[in-house]
Amino acid sequence: MYATATQTNPRTHTKRNTERTLPQVKRVFQSSPPTPQRPLTDTSRTATSNPENSFANGFLKTTFPPKVYHSSKHIIFSGEEQAQLKTTLKCSLAQMADHYGFTPFPIEQYDLSCGIALALSYSQEQIKKRDTKGTFCELKVLKAPNSDAFFSCEERFYLPNEVFFVPLQPLYKLLKVHKNKPLYELFLSVYAYLNQRAFIANYVQEDCFVAYAYEMLQDCISQDYQEIAERDHLLHLLKQAQQIGAILSKKIRNPYHLDFFQRRIDRFIPKNDLEAECLALSQAFYTLWQDFPNHSIYSHLHRAEDYYEQGEEELFEVEKYLSFVYEDQSDLFHTYLLDWLNGEYSQCSEIELPTIYKHFNSTTPLANFDFEQRFFPLLTELITLLNRI
């Protein structure tokens, strides 16, 4: 027995008999005819008209005066200090404009807060136009308690290279050949200056970051390397690096080589073009030392007093990218050591760079990057020249 579907015609359905009901809403009647007291409403439409300009365009063309952020550490202005602060800031602005070579902003023509903001914006734009060396970072107005307000410019010396690793192996090669003794002693004085005066750390010193990198590399090769022959070869190279580094480290730290720096330059007679380049470079380092006897790679690094106690894990310190190494040409350096250092660099959010603060208050001498602008190009030239020996 099968079930079948039957179609029904909706038109043939029987309608139910229902009673109709009246709507609950009453009928709307037409309004009464107009009278003098009640005139007829005008049904005509209002004439269309548009403004001459768009409202948004007029709003966007409006200039709003800037506001200055007031902080207890930087700017504190009271009503009684308004006139005095305007005068001191005008003098500071004139000093800054004279230093960078532009016309000072007329800060006295504006309200104090508005004038400061406009002067900061204008001066920053002018400094950037004249910043041919790319050192400009930030411009501020500072005011310490019980002192006048002044303009302060922060500048940073951005390094062209990521790392500066000075190899010791070329110096050891010169030591092994007797005929190269004059050139070896000349470079030994250069290395002594870099270590004793510029304070470049040596990888065999315990407090050197690269020494920690060598130690970590040795542990990784000892524990994780599966090929015995290759593992023993790499460990032998690391042991050799430590032994040669310890020998040269004692010589580099000897102040005797600094005392005879000038004498070695005067007595050195170059035999070829390469030795002539070595002599010129050594003379340049000696002149730099005489011009800046108290400068080092730490001269313009600003660290807090409790810096070493707190630790800065997110900061890539100068010791991590500027140091002595054993060599920088082999696969051991590029494949293992440099990759490990790049991994450490990728975990840091900021690199430590030489920074100066120019306070235009007529009393503080203005700092500069004269030392860094000569030191780092010479260091790059030295690393390139050493790999040619």
Side-chain angles (χ1 to χ4, degrees):
M1 184 175 181
Y2 298 94
T4 59
T6 59
Q7 295 182 355
T8 58
N9 188 356
R11 295 183 179 180
T12 60
H13 285 179
T14 305
K15 296 183 180 180
R16 296 182 180 179
N17 296 327
T18 57
E19 296 181 358
R20 298 180 64 183
T21 58
L22 295 177
Q24 298 297 324
V25 181
K26 293 183 179 182
R27 183 179 178 183
V28 178
F29 294 94
Q30 204 173 19
S31 60
S32 59
T35 61
Q37 292 78 14
R38 186 178 181 274
L40 183 63
T41 306
D42 188 6
T43 59
S44 62
R45 301 178 64 87
T46 306
T48 58
S49 62
N50 295 325
E52 182 179 357
N53 295 321
S54 174
F55 172 77
N57 289 340
F59 176 79
L60 295 176
K61 292 180 180 179
T62 304
T63 302
F64 299 94
K67 292 184 178 181
V68 178
Y69 173 73
H70 294 264
S71 172
S72 59
K73 295 182 179 180
H74 297 294
I75 304 176
I76 306 175
F77 297 135
S78 63
E80 298 178 355
E81 295 176 320
Q82 296 278 332
Q84 181 181 358
L85 289 176
K86 264 192 177 183
T87 304
T88 55
L89 286 176
K90 181 181 178 181
C91 297
S92 177
L93 182 60
Q95 181 185 359
M96 179 177 64
D98 181 69
H99 176 73
Y100 289 105
F102 63 89
T103 304
F105 182 81
I107 191 174
E108 68 279 358
Q109 299 179 9
Y110 297 86
D111 178 71
L112 185 59
S113 298
C114 182
I116 291 175
L118 293 174
L120 284 172
S121 177
Y122 168 82
S123 302
Q124 180 171 305
E125 181 180 357
Q126 296 299 320
I127 294 174
K128 286 183 177 180
K129 290 180 180 179
R130 293 160 175 80
D131 185 23
T132 57
K133 299 177 181 178
T135 59
F136 175 77
C137 181
E138 188 178 7
L139 183 64
K140 297 180 180 179
V141 173
L142 304 180
K143 183 184 184 303
N146 302 324
S147 66
D148 295 330
F150 56 88
F151 287 87
S152 177
C153 184
E154 178 183 348
E155 297 183 6
R156 292 184 182 180
F157 187 81
Y158 295 94
L159 300 173
N161 299 332
E162 292 185 359
V163 294
F164 294 87
F165 291 144
V166 184
L168 291 182
Q169 188 183 52
L171 187 64
Y172 182 73
K173 291 181 179 179
L174 295 176
L175 175 63
K176 300 293 291 183
V177 181
H178 180 72
K179 66 178 182 179
N180 293 328
K181 183 178 180 180
L183 183 60
Y184 160 75
E185 292 180 344
L186 187 64
F187 271 123
L188 194 58
S189 295
V190 175
Y191 276 64
Y193 163 73
L194 295 177
N195 183 253
Q196 300 180 36
R197 292 296 183 265
F199 297 126
I200 295 181
N202 197 333
Y203 70 94
V204 296
Q205 299 174 354
E206 295 182 357
D207 56 346
C208 179
F209 176 79
V210 179
Y212 171 71
Y214 273 103
E215 182 180 351
M216 292 296 297
L217 179 60
Q218 183 176 358
D219 293 341
C220 292
I221 294 176
S222 301
Q223 300 175 6
D224 301 336
Y225 220 83
Q226 298 180 356
E227 297 183 6
I228 299 178
E230 185 69 16
R231 181 193 63 188
D232 294 342
H233 174 66
L234 294 176
L235 292 177
H236 172 72
L237 293 178
L238 290 175
K239 183 179 180 180
Q240 185 182 28
Q242 294 296 325
Q243 293 175 346
I244 295 177
I247 295 174
L248 294 179
S249 178
K250 295 180 180 179
K251 298 180 179 295
I252 291 172
R253 289 181 293 175
N254 193 336
Y256 168 84
H257 301 292
L258 280 180
D259 298 337
F260 285 83
F261 199 169
Q262 179 63 61
R263 184 179 301 180
R264 290 171 177 175
I265 292 176
D266 296 336
R267 292 182 177 180
F268 185 79
I269 301 176
K271 302 176 183 178
N272 47 49
D273 294 339
L274 179 60
E275 291 189 355
E277 294 181 29
C278 296
L279 176 60
L281 184 60
S282 302
Q283 179 66 58
F285 271 110
Y286 180 79
T287 304
L288 179 66
W289 174 31
Q290 300 305 307
D291 294 342
F292 303 93
N294 299 321
H295 278 65
S296 70
I297 61 175
Y298 297 94
S299 296
H300 293 138
L301 298 182
H302 304 273
R303 296 178 176 179
E305 296 181 356
D306 56 348
Y307 171 82
Y308 295 99
E309 298 179 1
Q310 293 181 355
E312 292 288 343
E313 298 180 356
E314 297 183 355
L315 182 65
F316 198 71
E317 297 93 340
V318 66
E319 299 91 351
K320 297 180 181 180
Y321 65 84
L322 180 54
S323 173
F324 286 106
V325 294
Y326 175 61
E327 51 82 28
D328 61 347
Q329 297 295 311
S330 67
D331 293 338
L332 176 64
F333 177 81
H334 289 280
T335 306
Y336 297 97
L337 185 61
L338 195 58
D339 287 348
W340 187 85
L341 291 172
N342 287 332
E344 291 291 318
Y345 176 77
S346 62
Q347 299 178 8
C348 301
S349 59
E350 183 180 2
I351 183 171
E352 187 177 31
L353 297 172
T355 305
I356 60 177
Y357 299 93
K358 294 183 177 179
H359 299 327
F360 298 95
N361 54 5
S362 302
T363 57
T364 306
L366 298 180
N368 54 62
F369 289 124
D370 291 348
F371 172 76
E372 287 80 3
Q373 290 171 355
R374 293 170 57 181
F375 175 78
F376 284 101
L378 288 177
L379 193 64
T380 303
E381 185 179 353
L382 173 65
I383 296 173
T384 304
L385 187 61
L386 288 172
N387 291 320
R388 294 169 53 192
I389 297 178

